[in-house]
Amino acid sequence: MVLGVETSCDETAAAVVDERFRVLSSVVESSIDQHRDFGGVVPELAGRAHVTTIGPVVRRALEEADLELAAPDLAGVAVTGGPGLIGSLLVGLSAAKALALVWGVPLIGVNHLEGHLFAPLLESRELEWPLMTLLVSGGHSLIVLQRGPGEHRVLGETIDDAAGEAYDKVARWLGLGYPGGPAIDRLASVGSPDALSLPVSMIGDDFDLSFSGLKTAVVRATKADRTIATEDVAASFQRALAEQLLRKLRHSLERYEVRGVALAGGVAANSALRGGVAQLAGEFGIECHLPTLAMCTDNAAMIAAAGLYRLSIGQRSELSLSARPNWRLADVS
Ligand code: KG4
Ligand code: ZN
């Protein structure tokens, strides 16, 4: 069993996963309520919240997995080393190091994005490789080809905003509060996607993504015509954004032969994306992996799973492990 610790953003999370990738416990606390009024996560507030929450969250994760607090039967402690907010990462790292030291078990630093890639594995252990994954969250948007667990190649990345960031910025513009993804998704279901004609950025024949032009187009169009209903703006924006992601994903499936396609990250909760990916999987005759909401958003079970894999191939981190706020998935080996 491995204990996972995740504190890269506003979620304080701890989880225990066993050697067969079964989730024995997964506890997630979020400081989101403290950030709402600011329209985004305030790093200083998030860091302070982790300090008070991390202890109780780890304790609960151990208790729910029926592990003894003083000397749990663990093969190691996995912790998010980056990317993320430096002040938040440091809290998780300090806690994980202290626990690994007192328990006398190995420590392993995990890349948060690699963690997201392990989420589908926790729900369908019969997963067949290779797998194409669309990883979309508030901070990241990537198309990743996975040949096996831990063997990933980043095919494309956003060159500006992340998909969730675009959702949050447009929602803020529309006065829908933070986080904006769920609100826009809900409104989009009753609006008309044809109300606004918005650009679908494709930036050439590669797999890179771009959302900042779309966001600007929404702002410009709604400034030009203030009578457009908010649900119509939401539906038009959602369609343009999903269309770009799905076109690029389709392009990757045409280029590389895979056995399955997966969605990961917080934006994987989006109804248009879930429907679109399922349809693509059907068209290409491959498996479709849509993790549950709890597994799409930030959690520590995915970090424990990635750590379990890294430990199983003999990797360990030193207690001097430092936070890497800009750690790229492409640099993980
Ligand atoms: O993965 P996550 O929980 O945190 C990060 O690591 O970023 O993702 C949060 C992001 C936010 O930007 C939020 O607006 C977006 O996911 N999101 C959605 C939906 N639910 C959450 N975006 C679109 N549609 C949704 N239903
Ligand atoms: Zn995340």
Side-chain angles (χ1 to χ4, degrees), residues 112 116 137-139 164-165 167-168 179-182 185 265-267 269-270 296-298:
H112 178 83
H116 274 299
S137 72
E165 193 179 352
Y167 264 97
D168 294 337
D185 196 4
V267 185
N270 186 261
C296 288
T297 48
D298 287 350

Side-chain angles (χ1 to χ4, degrees), residues 23 26 116 119-120 122-123 265 291-299 301-302:
V23 181
S26 180
H116 274 299
L122 289 167
E123 292 184 335
T292 56
L293 235 53
M295 220 33 103
C296 288
T297 48
D298 287 350
N299 65 83
M302 67 185 199

